[in-house]
Structure formats: structure tokens, C-alpha cells
């Protein structure tokens, strides 16, 4: 679902797992003046570290507290119901902020 950029045009797709990506993410958020932020990460150590660093940078730069969703190790499903529900939850949470 998120692979189709027409369905998720504002989803930031990052390939690397490195804290060097954080300034680029902050710059995108600043450039587009996004104030509603969701962080979706896989619950393993290397991604938790990046998530924590990103949250810290967002706080230091005055962004609102992001909505954070940690998922267990991703396993492709025969259907995308989990992905659809996760992103629906994020969308609803963003509306209520």
C-alpha cells in the first residue's frame, strides 16, 4: 500500500537506518510546514534508537509530540489489512490533534 506513492504521497520513505537521516527528515517537515507527525517503526533495537533520536530532535526543534506506532517485526501478509488499519489509526489520531 505505501509503495504506491499515489495512495500515500506524504509518506516519507527512508532506506537507510542511520541517525544521519534525521536532519533530512526535520528539513522536509520544516519545508512543508507539517505539524502533524507520525512515526511508524519496527520494534527492534536499531529502529528504536533512530526513533528515540528523531523524537528528541523534534522536541528540540519545537515540533508537536508525534504519534508513535511501534510494530513487531514486519512479515508480509497475504492481505494488507494490518497496514490499512495501522494507517487508518494514524489518520484518525492526526485528526483529533
Amino acid at each position: 500500500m505505501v509503495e504506491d506513492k499515489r495512495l500515500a504521497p506524504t509518506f516519507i520513505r527512508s532506506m537507510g537506518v542511520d541517525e544521519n537521516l534525521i536532519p533530512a527528515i526535520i528539513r522536509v517537515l520544516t519545508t512543508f510546514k507539517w505539524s502533524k507527525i507520525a512515526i511508524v517503526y519496527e520494534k527492534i533495537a536499531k529502529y528504536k534508537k533512530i526513533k528515540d533520536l528523531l523524537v528528541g530532535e523534534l522536541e528540540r526543534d519545537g515540533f508537536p509530540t508525534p504519534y508513535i506506532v511501534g510494530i513487531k517485526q514486519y512479515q508480509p501478509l497475504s492481505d494488507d489489512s494490518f497496514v490499512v488499519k495501522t494507517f487508518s489509526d494514524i489518520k484518525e489520531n492526526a485528526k483529533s490533534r
Side-chain angles (χ1 to χ4, degrees), residues 59-85:
E59 288 174 359
R60 276 188 284 286
D61 286 358
F63 282 92
T65 304
Y67 178 65
I68 301 170
V69 177
I71 59 173
K72 293 180 182 178
Q73 188 168 9
Y74 178 72
Q75 297 292 324
L77 305 172
S78 58
D79 69 84
D80 286 334
S81 60
F82 171 77
V83 174
V84 170
K85 178 167 179 2

Side-chain angles (χ1 to χ4, degrees), residues 5-91:
K5 292 181 183 181
R6 293 170 299 156
L7 297 175
T10 60
F11 182 78
I12 296 176
R13 296 153 181 86
S14 61
M15 296 302 290
V17 179
D18 188 312
E19 57 266 15
N20 292 328
L21 289 174
I22 293 173
I25 293 169
I26 299 291
R27 188 166 191 152
V28 167
L29 297 171
T30 302
T31 298
F32 290 101
K33 297 179 172 77
W34 290 344
S35 60
K36 295 181 180 179
I37 302 162
I39 298 173
V40 181
Y41 73 100
E42 190 175 353
K43 288 183 178 179
I44 57 177
K46 65 182 177 180
Y47 297 126
K48 284 182 182 179
K49 177 185 173 194
I50 299 299
K51 181 264 303 173
D52 291 341
L53 291 170
L54 177 57
V55 169
E57 285 298 314
L58 290 169
E59 288 174 359
R60 276 188 284 286
D61 286 358
F63 282 92
T65 304
Y67 178 65
I68 301 170
V69 177
I71 59 173
K72 293 180 182 178
Q73 188 168 9
Y74 178 72
Q75 297 292 324
L77 305 172
S78 58
D79 69 84
D80 286 334
S81 60
F82 171 77
V83 174
V84 170
K85 178 167 179 2
T86 299
F87 282 96
S88 293
D89 291 348
I90 291 168
K91 189 174 182 180

